[in-house]
Each structure stands twice: as structure tokens, then as C-alpha cells.
Amino acid sequence: MGSNPIPSAISLMPTYYLWNIGCQMNKAESDQLAECLDGVGYRRLARPDDADLVLLNTCVVRGNAEERVRGELSRLKGLKALRPGMSVAVTGCFVGGGLEELRERFPHVDLFFPAGQVALFRDWLSERVATGCHGAGVSLSAGPAAPAAYVPIIRGCNNFCSYCIVPYRRGREISLSPEEVVARVQDLAGRGAREVTLLGQNVNSYGKDLLSRADLTDLLAQVNGVPGIERIRFLTSHPRDVDEKFVDAMARLDRVCKWISLPVQAGDDRVLQAMRRGYTVEEYRRLVKRMRARIPGLALSTDVIVGFPGETEADFGRTVALLSELRFDTVHVAAYSVRPGTLAARTMPDDVLPEQKGRRLQEIEEMQERISAELNSSLVGKRVEVLVERRAKGKWEGRTRTNKLVFFSDAGEWTGRLADVEVTSASPWSLQGKVALRTEVGAR
Ligand code: SAM
Ligand code: SF4
Ligand code: F3S
């Protein structure tokens, strides 16, 4: 009498802990792994200590990311010694080609699987579920989707920028078919997603490996027609592969957000060439100007590496000058980090001192803080459309179509809805506002 069957049923469910670092691609793949585990009845825990399965999704883009991964692996070694029944699976860019070597070096890891190989994990998991390991496996239907979801459209990278480890860890480019992408977007829309970000290391290379030769422009046109999807983004664009047809589509398609991440990496031609980026500063500048002329209100984000081998003060000064001329909405700046196996690691001495790298990084961050503050302040008093993603610390949080983070207070329920918000104040990183219209805006 009075006993509630639910808590005991929950306590019988197998549990998992998922650790994720890295870029949006990793986040998207972690979401797929979590969906897979939730689907066979696993319950997610916030800590690894009591979990039946611990899953690490790793990044090695810079040395400090790799150190975090190694730290996590050694922590789990201790945990597994205490609880031998626990399983450990590791994926992401830490897992390269030599799986045998990894297994030998980390014997406490039960499964290594390369980034994006969700099917491998699914097979491993279904074997364990079938053999009764970690519980019986109750098939559940997929739950609601987040208002803004990620959709990988192309895996791997063919570019081999001289500093970058990604092509060595994620392999060559493989595009999903437009049918697969559209089906995924439709599924997400059916479960409540209103925004999708199409992901790839270079989305503008999408389709080059497909028989149909469908390209990103064709794909955007198809996704633009999916009912329920109000906003489409894509990430990341390689400046060399952005063509006129694509710029036209961006300008024309109403669901496509006027926002692009276009990493420049450096503002000096010699450095760009040593990086093997495939464009000059002038070509990049002209592209940005053409895009801004064709797409009014376009918001731009870029990535920069400081302290690349051989980067002089004068070279660095040209990067600063370019950023100050083009005035990006956001800049992600990183200090160059030697990555084993890359062309730069093999042939170019890491000759910029750590303190010089640190100072250059800080100089760009300070300049960009000023620029972002000025650009964001110009929005005060204006009304912006915000797709609300969550409630955090008593405020609604969402993004504008130009990818600016907005917070506002309101008594209503706004998660997953489009709000018309009047901007009341701005900082370099976000906007604050108040709801201008009580009802949802813009939905079709
Ligand atoms: N494919 C995208 C591109 O072309 O920019 C993103 C690649 S990477 C995952 C994200 C960013 O990390 C790069 O844009 C670059 O600025 C930075 N990055 C990559 N390798 C690096 C390295 N060895 N040292 C410092 N930053 C690096
Ligand atoms: Fe790395 Fe260059 Fe590929 Fe981006 S385009 S993932 S920076 S090799
Ligand atoms: Fe890291 Fe791999 Fe992304 S190295 S940044 S997780 S592509």
C-alpha cells in the first residue's frame, strides 16, 4: 500500500555518464549517442561515479584539449579499479587510426570508436543489451528535440591546413545524401525543433563526393521547405569554397539566417600560404564586401590563430588591421599549438614565444571586445526576433537570427517560441531586452 512502483523501476535502469568537449560537431554526435542510449532505456547521470557506462567524446584540436582528455582517462582508470563492472567507451578526435595502440595504452577502456561512427557504438551497445549486460533494454520512442538542433551534413575534411589535426582524426570528406539530411530535419521538426544548424568542417564542400553532385545551395533550398523549421544556419564555411550561387541563395532563402562563420585565420599572405589556406587577404576582403553588399544586415564570425610559426610582429599587425577594418560580430582567437603529424609540426619550428602568443591573443581579444560592444550597442532600442532555447537563472535565453545571445525576463512560457524582443542594453557578449509583443512572431 502506498508504494510507488516508479522509483524502483528507475533504479533498475542501467545508467550512463557522457563527457563531451570540442566543437559543435562533437556536441551533435554526443546528442546522437545520448539519443541512442536513452532509446534503449539507459538513464543519464550527472557524475561518472555510479554509472554503468562512461562515454567520453574527445577533442584534440589544441594541446590543452588533449591534456584534458588524458586527465579524464586517468581519472577513469582509478574509478574502474574501484568498480570493475563499469564500462568505458571513448570516441571523438582523440581516437585516430591506430586503435590497437590505443587499446594497449589504455586497457581500462572497453571500446574505442572513431568520431562520428555512431553505428559502431550502436552495434556494441545492442550486443551488451542482448546479452543482458547493463539491463534488459526497453525500447523507448525518441523524446522531444531541442528548439535549436545540430545536423551533421558532411564528415571529415580534405583541406589539410598545415596546423590542423582534424583531417588526420576525422578522415576524408563524406557527405550525407540530401534525402538523409532532409529526413533528419523533418524528424527534428516533428519533435519540436525550430532551428537547425547544418554542420561540417567545410559545409561549402558539401556534395562534391555525391553522385548527384547536389551542393550546399541545393540542400539549403530543400531544408528551407521543411514545415516547422523557422531558421537554418550552417557551420563552418571555408572562404575558398564560397561561390556566387551560394551567396545568392543565402540572400534569397527566407529561412536561412543572415549569419556566417568564415574563418580567416590570419591577415598576412605569407602566413596564409604557410597555413595552406588557399586564399589571399585581398580575396577574403573582397568576398566579405561582396557578401555584405548582397546580404544586408549580414552578421559575420571568424577564427584567428596567433603565433603561427614565423609570424612576426608586422605579420600580426596586419591581422589586427584586417579585423579592425572588417569589424566582425565575433572573433574566436586561439594561440597556435603544435599538433603531432601535421605539416607545420613536421616542417615549421614553433618559434613564437608563449608570452608573445599570449600578448597577441589578448590584444585581439581586447580590440574585439570594443568592436562587439559597439556593434551590439547599435541594437539598443531596436526589436529583434529571438528563438528562446531555455530558461536559466530566472531569465529566458535565446538567439537572434544573427546569432546574438539575448536574455529577457517575462512571466510567460517561452521555450521553443519566437519572441519579439526590444533590446534595452548590450554588452560585448550579449543583449538584454523585454518582450515587445505578448504573442509569438514570425511562425509559419
Ligand atoms: N573547419 C573549420 C575551419 O576551417 O576553420 C574549423 C576547424 S577547427 C575545429 C576550429 C578552429 O580551431 C580553427 O578555425 C582554428 O582557428 C583553430 N585551430 C585548429 N588547429 C589549431 C592549432 N593547431 N592551434 C591553434 N588553433 C587551431
Ligand atoms: Fe582543419 Fe582546415 Fe579542415 Fe578546418 S578546413 S578542419 S582548419 S584542415
Ligand atoms: Fe576538436 Fe575534433 Fe572538433 S579536434 S574541435 S572535436 S573536429
Side-chain angles (χ1 to χ4, degrees):
M1 280 292 284
S3 73
N4 183 344
I6 293 167
S8 59
I10 285 179
S11 67
L12 286 176
M13 286 165 84
T15 55
Y16 73 100
Y17 168 75
L18 174 56
W19 183 83
N20 178 79
I21 60 168
C23 59
Q24 284 86 349
M25 189 60 99
N26 260 20
K27 177 75 179 67
E29 286 164 0
S30 280
D31 289 349
Q32 283 177 12
L33 294 168
E35 219 171 81
C36 176
L37 284 160
D38 297 341
V40 291
Y42 272 66
R43 186 163 55 90
R44 189 164 180 164
L45 300 180
R47 294 165 51 80
D49 306 62
D50 300 319
D52 297 311
L53 170 64
V54 175
L55 194 52
L56 303 186
N57 196 0
T58 59
C59 171
V60 291
V61 72
R62 285 178 284 278
N64 53 9
E66 182 156 359
E67 276 156 31
R68 285 180 65 195
V69 175
R70 289 182 188 280
E72 208 54 28
L73 276 166
S74 68
R75 184 159 83 107
L76 288 178
K77 190 173 181 182
L79 205 56
K80 182 131 176 177
L82 293 173
R83 293 182 48 235
M86 177 183 95
S87 298
V88 178
V90 178
T91 186
C93 294
F94 184 76
V95 183
L99 290 185
E100 265 317 308
E101 198 191 319
L102 283 172
R103 284 190 205 108
E104 266 167 39
R105 291 209 50 201
F106 304 99
H108 63 293
V109 174
D110 300 270
L111 174 74
F112 280 106
F113 63 105
Q117 306 284 319
V118 180
L120 276 183
F121 175 73
R122 199 174 285 139
D123 290 349
W124 177 81
L125 185 68
S126 58
E127 215 168 89
R128 299 178 80 81
V129 170
T131 56
C133 182
H134 293 177
V138 206
S139 199
L140 306 170
S141 61
Y150 291 123
V151 180
I153 61 166
I154 176 168
R155 303 189 186 281
C157 183
N158 291 359
N159 280 314
F160 291 93
C161 301
S162 63
Y163 50 81
C164 184
I165 197 170
V166 172
Y168 300 90
R169 299 301 169 93
R170 286 188 173 261
R172 297 302 80 77
E173 288 172 0
I174 301 175
S175 304
L176 275 77
S177 71
E179 293 75 25
E180 283 172 284
V181 175
V182 170
R184 178 74 183 152
V185 173
Q186 284 168 336
D187 170 55
L188 287 163
R191 293 193 283 127
R194 319 279 312 261
E195 175 182 309
V196 285
T197 302
L198 309 181
L199 288 180
Q201 296 306 329
N202 175 11
V203 284
N204 291 71
S205 189
Y206 174 80
K208 285 182 184 158
D209 58 321
L210 292 175
L211 279 177
S212 69
R213 305 295 280 183
D215 62 14
L216 182 61
T217 306
D218 305 325
L219 186 66
L220 286 176
Q222 287 192 40
V223 176
N224 200 68
V226 174
I229 295 300
E230 305 293 337
R231 294 173 169 192
I232 305 163
R233 301 187 198 280
F234 44 85
L235 185 78
T236 305
S237 293
H238 194 298
R240 192 200 49 220
D241 293 320
V242 175
D243 59 20
E244 288 311 304
K245 182 182 166 203
F246 169 78
V247 177
D248 271 357
M250 238 189 120
R252 183 170 34 86
L253 296 169
D254 61 338
R255 308 286 146 175
V256 172
C257 293
K258 311 310 178 211
W259 174 83
I260 188 167
S261 170
L262 199 63
V264 66
Q265 309 297 3
D268 175 80
D269 283 338
R270 196 186 46 80
V271 174
L272 281 178
Q273 203 176 7
M275 288 177 161
R276 307 265 152 136
R277 288 291 290 177
Y279 51 83
T280 63
V281 175
E282 188 50 30
E283 283 164 347
Y284 184 90
R285 177 187 283 117
R286 269 198 244 124
L287 172 62
V288 167
K289 290 192 171 162
R290 269 206 319 278
M291 290 191 81
R292 281 186 166 153
R294 185 79 183 80
I295 309 168
L298 177 72
L300 272 160
S301 173
T302 200
D303 294 5
V304 168
I305 296 176
V306 295
F308 185 78
E311 185 190 68
T312 63
E313 274 303 313
D315 298 337
F316 172 68
R318 281 184 276 278
T319 300
V320 173
L322 185 72
L323 299 182
S324 120
E325 175 196 339
L326 295 180
R327 292 171 66 81
F328 293 92
D329 292 81
T330 43
V331 175
H332 298 110
V333 52
Y336 171 71
S337 164
V338 182
R339 299 287 63 215
T342 59
L343 182 68
R346 284 183 274 126
T347 64
M348 305 173 204
D350 182 19
D351 55 5
V352 180
L353 296 174
E355 41 291 9
Q356 276 173 321
K357 286 181 186 170
R359 191 188 37 74
R360 289 176 191 177
L361 188 129
Q362 200 184 343
E363 185 176 331
I364 289 185
E365 278 183 341
E366 283 171 10
M367 176 181 73
Q368 187 56 37
E369 205 176 302
R370 278 198 306 279
I371 294 172
S372 298
E374 284 163 19
L375 294 175
N376 289 351
S377 300
S378 70
L379 292 170
V380 174
K382 302 223 164 84
R383 280 158 75 164
V384 290
E385 180 203 282
V386 176
L387 173 62
V388 181
E389 292 181 32
R390 65 182 71 85
R391 191 170 168 82
K393 294 182 194 153
K395 291 203 167 176
W396 297 108
E397 179 188 325
R399 287 180 183 269
T400 64
R401 296 181 74 87
T402 51
N403 214 22
K404 299 203 185 274
L405 194 58
V406 183
F407 298 95
F408 66 90
S409 302
D410 190 75
E413 167 56 53
W414 283 101
T415 307
R417 299 175 70 201
L418 293 167
D420 183 356
V421 173
E422 184 188 324
V423 180
T424 51
S425 65
S427 81
W429 304 280
S430 64
L431 307 172
Q432 303 275 342
K434 59 174 195 249
V435 175
L437 254 187
R438 299 288 325 152
T439 51
E440 198 182 20
V441 286
R444 60 179 167 184

